[in-house]
Amino acid sequence: MQISYIGMMTQEVGIKSYVKVSLKPDNEMLDEVVVTGYGNFKKSSFTGAASSITTEKLQDIPSLSVQDKLAGAVAGVQVTSTSGQPGAVESVRIRGMGSINAGNNPLYVIDGVPVMVGNASGFSYSDAGNSLLSTINSNDIESMTVIKDAAAASLYGSRAANGVIVITTKKGASGKMKINLRADWGFSNRAIDYRPTLNGEDRRELLHLGLVNYAKNSGDSEAEAQAYADSKIDGFAAKPKNGYTDWESILFKNGSHQNYEVNAQGGSEKTKFYTSLGYTKQEGITLNSGYERITGRANLTHKADRVTLEASTMFTSSNQNVNSEGTSFSSPIMCVAMTASPSTYPYNEDGTFSNVFPALNGANPLQTATYNYDRSGIIRTMNSLSATWNVWDNLNLKETLGYDFNQTNNRVWWDPRSNDGRSSKGVFQRYMMNRSKLNTQTQLSYVKTFNRHNIDFLLGFETEDYKYDYTYTNGNTYPSFLPEITNAGVSKGSSNIQSYRMTSYLGRLNYDFSGRYYASASFRRDGSSRLARESRWGDFWSVSGSWRLSQEKFMESVSDIITDAKIRASYGVNGTQPADYYGYMGVYEFGYNYNGSGGSAEARFYNPQLKWEKNYATNIGIDVTLFNRLSISAEWYNRDTKDLLMDKPISAAIGVIDSDGVSNMLVNVGSMRNRGFELEIKSTNIQNKELLWTTALNVGHNNNTLTKLDGEQQEVISGVMINRVGEPYYSIYAYEYAGVDPKTGKESYYINGEDGSRETTTVSSKANKTIIGSIQPTLQGGLTNYISWKFIDFNFTLTYSLGGHVYDRASWLQSNGGTYHYLGNIPSYYKIEDTWQKEGDNAKLPQFAYGNRNIASSRWLLSTDHLRLKNMSLGFTLPAKWSEKAGINKLRAYVSGNNLLTWKAKGMYIDPEVPANGLSTFETPALRTVTFGFEIGF
């Protein structure tokens, strides 16, 4: 008789009248699999730093973003977004930023093939962008592995300096075909109360006080000042006949979500398949914000004797509609927060659109939203085909061909009835872009066991060809409101083609002795067309090892407590290519106007010394499993980035200047360091026949330091940002705010003189700017719990961040009575009772007075400390004995949510999940989405 149970070792016992069996834990079976793209390994034998997550428990989360599945799930991974609009581009940082000009996004590998990611939009009118990763149905994903150190990442060479995210899609299974249907519907609103403003009456009262203070500061008496304010207030805060306008209710709305999916899997022992079809539609919280997507996927595996064939194909058609953000006149976010005051109104009495918007130069935000649009559509297909031939014994030869293609069609219309298009009598812009990446791989692998010696080696050859071409057209002077180029009175166009190629050789050797001592080495040599022949080839490598202490005899006495323990270390080098495909070339640029004729000019010097940025990564980790229930992984790492690619200014006097009027040369000069630790704890709290409860906690700390700029400068200042050697790259540089001066009611600042004194002044020019904070958090991570009891399942993830900052650069709102306060809205934190009124007041806010101006200081440095209920789901599954009677395998109903609750720092009036650069203006905040759905399986 054979007895087995999930997570336990199978035992065979003789059949007797009474049998007592005690199953032992199967540590190997419980060990998660690390998928590296160049082989799969059990974590017990993996010598590097990687974390794996399965998406099964996250399939209910109503998010278009693949990256949202990573939020709070993996230590050392920071996921941020520049916008909460559906389909927006998100930023992922693994162990901090390691580059300035060459990019900081990780490499994404899907089913062994590197794919294209990033922003597919050709226009920058919206900060949201159109994410290529949003074209992927995240419910087609089986698992994701985040590779964080050089042990496995070095095999990806010049693309893996910022880590690798390996995605495995769902595959078929032998047996009866299974069909699964899912559908859910829901709604969205803002996850936080974003930049709240004063209501009409409170605004009028505050502006009146500001006029009084202005007059009194000019020498008027109290009575004269009151009379002056009374005569001017209606010009700034009039009471509309129909009452004050609630612009939030006009320009914002509740968003919606709907999703429908069907998938099937099955097959025989030789042929297995998985296929899916999905439709998703999300409407954002502003009038022109939404995303619609159709996806289809088919994965096929066939085994014939000694050959295994695998084929995968994905097709997506998506359409995105976005509104402008940032400081655009047509941004609804800015209008609600700043420029459309309660005293303005959308319509005139005759029903026409009003143009009384002094802060917007007469631009009516509702009129703009009605007539203008910014739309983009993406057609994408990802295909891969591989054949694995078992040559002999465990010697396998694998050939892989991958092709990723997407076409983006951007369309922007500025109607002649809007301010954007009025002067040009309408503007229509169209951007057609094609991107393609062809990847070929040849791999020879061999796995063999000799007594207690285990060897695994891999040899490979790869090529990658990328091509990007676009056509841009622009039309204006429209006699009608039909936005096509052919209808324009004036039109123009341009086009361009860019491409690069890379060829690579790679090898890897893994060795372990008796499952106790592990060693691994890898090497990759890349040749890139982005670099000159003299510097084209780069060598990337890693060495790593681990010692599994739990397999030693001296650990046997505590084996019931410490069921598994391992120490590991790795060191290696990987790199980053220049973002500019032709940055090394000395080139002439055409398109200049030379005395009325077409001309060209030398734009850049030839630079044969331009080479890769290189990352030198060290990682030391320890993994311990206690009582076969609690696993703890701790990591310390150091990542030194050298030969940073930077644009070094050169003299323009010699005539080398590009078409933008900039005279720079791309060189390898800087260096940067990221150093930190990570902790992951996973526990199985309860596990029996009816109840399962698991918990996972992760903590990450990263310290970024700029160690060198160009060898000459020690700092570069840009606005409120400073890049100073010895400090984090994204440091915030401004005056240090010292509160309100009780005597004058003005803002005061610490002088911060060379003597270190803490004296204050109300004259900012007498103070010295200083580094007031950094965007990098001290700690960040997540907490996940999963509970299933009988027919109920419950899952939630909390994300948190401590110690980071964001700088609010919406300076127009920070003037204590400046121009835009009198032309537009006023933040709700300007409360009259908190403002300085008379000499001696220890006030929270300075005196509010007409004509004040804003000063960049630490007053506008906000803490990003927060705890967020990132996602949660509750499901109810009909017991099998009932569902089977109805002829179905599974019937489940569920409710799920995303960004449901946010606990943030006091005074934080913007979303704490801030843009990667730590500067905030008027971004669309994160969406809170709640959905209700069901799942049926046959």
Side-chain angles (χ1 to χ4, degrees):
M1 182 168 58
Q2 190 178 78
I3 300 175
S4 63
Y5 188 74
I6 295 176
M8 302 294 178
M9 296 180 65
T10 301
Q11 288 193 35
E12 291 186 359
V13 296
I15 298 176
K16 300 177 182 177
S17 57
Y18 175 76
V19 178
K20 183 178 180 180
V21 180
S22 179
L23 298 181
K24 297 181 179 180
D26 183 0
N27 293 333
E28 297 297 324
M29 193 171 184
L30 292 174
D31 206 359
E32 67 183 50
V33 175
V34 177
V35 181
T36 67
Y38 290 104
N40 301 342
F41 306 92
K42 290 184 177 179
K43 194 167 185 179
S44 59
S45 64
F46 187 63
T47 56
S51 297
S52 297
I53 63 170
T54 59
T55 60
E56 180 183 1
K57 297 182 180 68
L58 300 174
Q59 61 184 350
D60 301 333
I61 305 306
S63 174
L64 290 167
S65 168
V66 172
Q67 297 96 318
D68 255 5
K69 308 289 185 180
L70 294 172
V74 178
V77 176
Q78 183 180 20
V79 181
T80 60
S81 178
T82 57
S83 173
Q85 295 193 66
V89 176
E90 290 192 298
S91 169
V92 175
R93 296 288 183 267
I94 299 176
R95 293 183 169 179
M97 66 170 292
S99 180
I100 296 174
N101 287 332
N104 285 283
N105 288 321
L107 173 70
Y108 289 81
V109 178
I110 299 180
D111 293 333
V113 178
V115 299
M116 292 181 284
V117 296
N119 186 7
S121 176
F123 296 119
S124 59
Y125 303 120
S126 166
D127 293 334
N130 195 340
S131 173
L132 274 175
L133 272 177
S134 291
T135 62
I136 299 171
N137 183 355
S138 59
N139 285 341
D140 284 335
I141 296 175
E142 181 73 30
S143 66
M144 291 188 284
T145 299
V146 179
I147 299 173
K148 296 182 279 189
D149 74 334
S154 290
L155 272 178
Y156 291 99
S158 61
R159 299 167 295 178
N162 300 306
V164 184
I165 296 178
V166 182
I167 296 174
T168 302
T169 61
K170 295 176 180 178
K171 301 295 188 294
S174 59
K176 180 183 176 181
M177 183 175 69
K178 297 180 180 179
I179 300 175
N180 196 61
L181 293 91
R182 294 173 58 89
D184 54 73
W185 308 266
F187 61 88
S188 301
N189 54 27
R190 286 174 293 176
I192 65 164
D193 186 11
Y194 181 81
R195 292 191 182 275
T197 60
L198 294 178
N199 61 41
E201 200 57 46
D202 288 343
R203 174 179 177 271
R204 180 182 171 91
E205 185 181 0
L206 181 63
L207 293 184
H208 187 276
L209 174 64
L211 292 169
V212 170
N213 288 333
Y214 170 76
K216 291 168 66 176
N217 293 341
S218 300
D220 289 357
S221 66
E222 179 69 32
E224 291 171 331
Q226 288 289 342
Y228 172 80
D230 291 343
S231 68
K232 296 290 184 181
I233 188 61
D234 284 338
F236 299 113
K239 297 181 179 181
K241 293 180 179 179
N242 295 324
Y244 291 111
T245 303
D246 181 4
W247 282 102
E248 188 171 307
S249 65
I250 293 173
L251 297 178
F252 283 6
K253 60 184 175 67
N254 279 332
S256 62
H257 171 95
Q258 55 181 307
N259 180 68
Y260 310 92
E261 295 178 28
V262 58
N263 64 66
Q265 64 176 346
S268 62
E269 290 297 326
K270 289 187 176 182
T271 304
K272 303 172 185 177
F273 71 91
Y274 170 86
T275 185
S276 71
L277 180 65
Y279 171 78
T280 300
K281 184 176 182 180
Q282 286 192 357
E283 293 292 338
I285 58 173
T286 54
L287 299 181
N288 292 334
S289 177
Y291 193 90
E292 187 175 23
R293 181 188 70 191
I294 298 174
T295 61
R297 172 174 289 277
N299 292 342
L300 180 68
T301 303
H302 177 71
K303 291 184 178 181
D305 297 327
R306 298 167 69 179
V307 176
T308 300
L309 299 175
E310 293 180 286
S312 174
T313 184
M314 185 205 80
F315 174 83
T316 297
S317 174
S318 69
N319 289 284
Q320 184 193 43
N321 194 12
V322 294
N323 55 253
S324 296
E325 294 177 287
T327 56
S328 166
F329 280 159
S330 59
S331 165
I333 307 298
M334 187 181 76
C335 289
V336 169
M338 185 179 80
T339 54
S341 79
S343 293
T344 56
Y345 40 88
Y347 299 103
N348 297 314
E349 290 184 358
D350 60 1
T352 59
F353 283 108
S354 167
N355 61 359
V356 183
F357 295 89
L360 292 169
N361 195 27
N364 186 323
L366 181 60
Q367 183 181 26
T368 300
T370 302
Y371 294 135
N372 293 359
Y373 62 76
D374 181 350
R375 300 168 183 166
S376 62
I378 299 178
I379 299 293
R380 186 179 194 181
T381 178
M382 287 195 297
N383 308 275
S384 66
L385 178 65
S386 68
T388 304
W389 175 35
N390 179 228
V391 182
W392 168 79
D393 192 21
N394 291 319
L395 181 66
N396 293 305
L397 177 65
K398 183 177 181 180
E399 290 284 343
T400 301
L401 177 68
Y403 183 67
D404 185 2
F405 172 83
N406 66 84
Q407 181 182 82
T408 303
N409 182 5
N410 279 147
R411 303 172 305 284
V412 171
W413 169 243
W414 297 339
D415 194 280
R417 292 165 290 185
S418 72
N419 269 39
D420 294 312
R422 184 171 293 128
S423 62
S424 299
K425 298 182 180 178
V427 177
F428 183 66
Q429 300 174 81
R430 191 159 188 164
Y431 219 127
M432 289 288 293
M433 294 169 285
N434 294 322
R435 299 178 182 86
S436 64
K437 179 182 286 188
L438 178 66
N439 178 268
T440 68
Q441 302 178 20
T442 301
Q443 298 176 11
L444 184 67
S445 61
Y446 184 67
V447 180
K448 188 66 176 178
T449 298
F450 304 94
N451 296 323
R452 291 185 293 175
H453 304 276
N454 303 296
I455 297 175
D456 171 7
F457 83 80
L458 173 76
L459 296 175
F461 172 75
E462 291 188 15
T463 65
E464 183 172 288
D465 287 270
Y466 174 84
K467 184 178 180 180
Y468 166 67
D469 69 82
Y470 74 82
T471 300
Y472 169 77
T473 55
N474 176 301
N476 61 68
T477 314
Y478 280 82
S480 65
F481 306 124
L482 299 176
E484 280 299 340
I485 300 297
T486 189
N487 297 328
V490 179
S491 61
K492 61 180 180 179
S494 64
S495 63
N496 198 358
I497 297 177
Q498 297 179 355
S499 64
Y500 74 83
R501 174 174 291 181
M502 187 169 67
T503 301
S504 309
Y505 304 89
L506 59 95
R508 182 200 66 211
L509 176 64
N510 292 330
Y511 167 79
D512 82 77
F513 175 76
S514 192
R516 190 181 308 169
Y517 310 108
Y518 299 85
S520 180
S522 67
F523 177 81
R524 182 177 179 121
R525 183 169 173 80
D526 282 342
S528 174
S529 66
R530 301 190 198 184
L531 300 165
R533 293 183 183 275
E534 295 88 337
S535 307
R536 180 157 293 170
W537 291 93
D539 298 326
F540 308 96
W541 53 271
S542 71
V543 291
S544 58
S546 64
W547 174 26
R548 200 172 180 193
L549 292 85
S550 54
Q551 299 299 104
E552 300 288 355
K553 289 185 177 180
F554 63 79
M555 295 288 290
E556 290 181 355
S557 61
V558 292
S559 60
D560 291 341
I561 300 174
I562 303 177
T563 50
D564 194 29
K566 181 178 66 173
I567 298 174
R568 49 190 164 77
S570 68
Y571 180 79
V573 181
N574 46 36
T576 306
Q577 300 180 81
D580 190 333
Y581 302 155
Y582 312 107
Y584 73 93
M585 292 183 177
V587 297
Y588 284 81
E589 286 187 352
F590 295 91
Y592 292 86
N593 186 306
Y594 184 74
N595 196 25
S597 301
S600 65
E602 189 174 7
R604 195 167 58 227
F605 282 124
Y606 175 59
N607 184 9
Q609 281 75 44
L610 189 67
K611 55 187 177 182
W612 283 278
E613 291 182 351
K614 286 194 174 181
N615 273 253
Y616 299 82
T618 302
N619 191 90
I620 299 173
I622 182 170
D623 305 316
V624 178
T625 302
L626 303 176
F627 307 106
N628 201 44
R629 283 182 174 269
L630 179 66
S631 65
I632 303 171
S633 292
E635 314 268 357
W636 176 88
Y637 64 86
N638 185 82
R639 179 162 70 118
D640 287 317
T641 306
K642 300 181 180 180
D643 297 324
L644 278 174
L645 292 159
M646 299 182 67
D647 288 314
K648 187 174 182 179
I650 60 176
S651 173
I654 56 178
V656 179
I657 186 168
D658 66 19
S659 56
D660 294 323
V662 177
S663 186
N664 281 333
M665 187 173 184
L666 187 63
V667 293
N668 299 91
V669 289
S671 61
M672 184 182 293
R673 172 175 296 159
N674 285 276
R675 179 178 291 173
F677 68 83
E678 297 165 358
L679 177 67
E680 290 188 347
I681 301 174
K682 298 179 180 179
S683 67
T684 303
N685 307 313
I686 301 175
Q687 184 177 17
N688 56 44
K689 186 177 180 180
E690 292 187 338
L691 179 61
L692 172 64
W693 175 24
T694 63
T695 300
L697 170 69
N698 68 77
V699 180
H701 164 75
N702 181 75
N703 185 39
N704 172 272
T705 306
L706 183 65
T707 54
K708 181 183 177 183
L709 274 166
D710 58 5
E712 299 174 4
Q713 301 180 88
Q714 292 299 303
E715 63 184 34
V716 174
I717 300 172
S718 177
V720 295
M721 303 301 292
I722 185 171
N723 309 136
R724 176 183 289 173
V725 173
E727 299 289 342
Y729 181 76
Y730 281 129
S731 293
I732 303 171
Y733 188 69
Y735 298 112
E736 186 179 2
Y737 183 61
V740 179
D741 178 38
K743 184 176 182 180
T744 63
K746 296 181 179 180
E747 292 180 321
S748 64
Y749 312 95
Y750 291 106
I751 295 177
N752 286 320
E754 295 182 359
D755 59 356
S757 65
R758 300 293 286 170
E759 294 182 3
T760 64
T761 179
T762 59
V763 181
S764 61
S765 60
K766 293 182 179 180
N768 295 298
K769 291 183 178 180
T770 186
I771 293 178
I772 58 175
S774 169
I775 70 166
Q776 64 177 0
T778 304
L779 295 174
Q780 63 179 5
L783 172 68
T784 298
N785 276 270
Y786 175 76
I787 302 171
S788 66
W789 177 69
K790 294 184 178 180
F791 58 90
I792 302 173
D793 59 270
F794 178 62
N795 182 56
F796 72 87
T797 296
L798 293 165
T799 57
Y800 66 89
S801 178
L802 298 170
H805 296 91
V806 60
Y807 186 82
D808 181 9
R809 61 175 175 179
S811 57
W812 312 273
L813 297 173
Q814 302 160 3
S815 57
N816 308 313
T819 300
Y820 275 91
H821 283 165
Y822 278 81
L823 298 181
N825 252 330
I826 302 177
S828 62
Y829 52 74
Y830 280 109
K831 294 181 174 62
I832 284 185
E833 60 270 24
D834 290 338
T835 62
W836 184 91
Q837 305 287 340
K838 63 183 185 304
E839 185 174 345
D841 283 353
N842 290 314
K844 181 179 179 180
L845 299 176
Q847 182 193 55
F848 193 92
Y850 175 73
N852 279 344
R853 63 188 183 94
N854 61 287
I855 301 294
S857 74
S858 58
R859 180 183 172 188
W860 313 110
L861 184 70
L862 307 176
S863 170
T864 56
D865 292 358
H866 74 278
L867 175 67
R868 171 164 278 173
L869 183 55
K870 190 65 179 177
N871 52 63
M872 183 177 70
S873 64
L874 176 65
F876 303 88
T877 304
L878 190 68
K881 61 180 181 181
W882 295 343
S883 61
E884 289 174 357
K885 292 180 180 179
I888 57 178
N889 295 328
K890 183 179 183 181
L891 178 59
R892 178 174 176 266
Y894 60 89
V895 56
S896 65
N898 200 27
N899 299 319
L900 292 175
L901 294 171
T902 303
W903 297 268
K904 53 188 174 61
K906 186 178 181 180
M908 183 62 165
Y909 45 79
I910 57 178
D911 199 289
E913 293 182 355
V914 298
N917 64 1
L919 300 176
S920 176
T921 49
F922 300 108
E923 301 81 17
T924 303
L927 301 187
R928 177 193 292 116
T929 304
V930 178
T931 61
F932 305 87
F934 67 89
E935 181 180 3
I936 303 176
F938 298 94

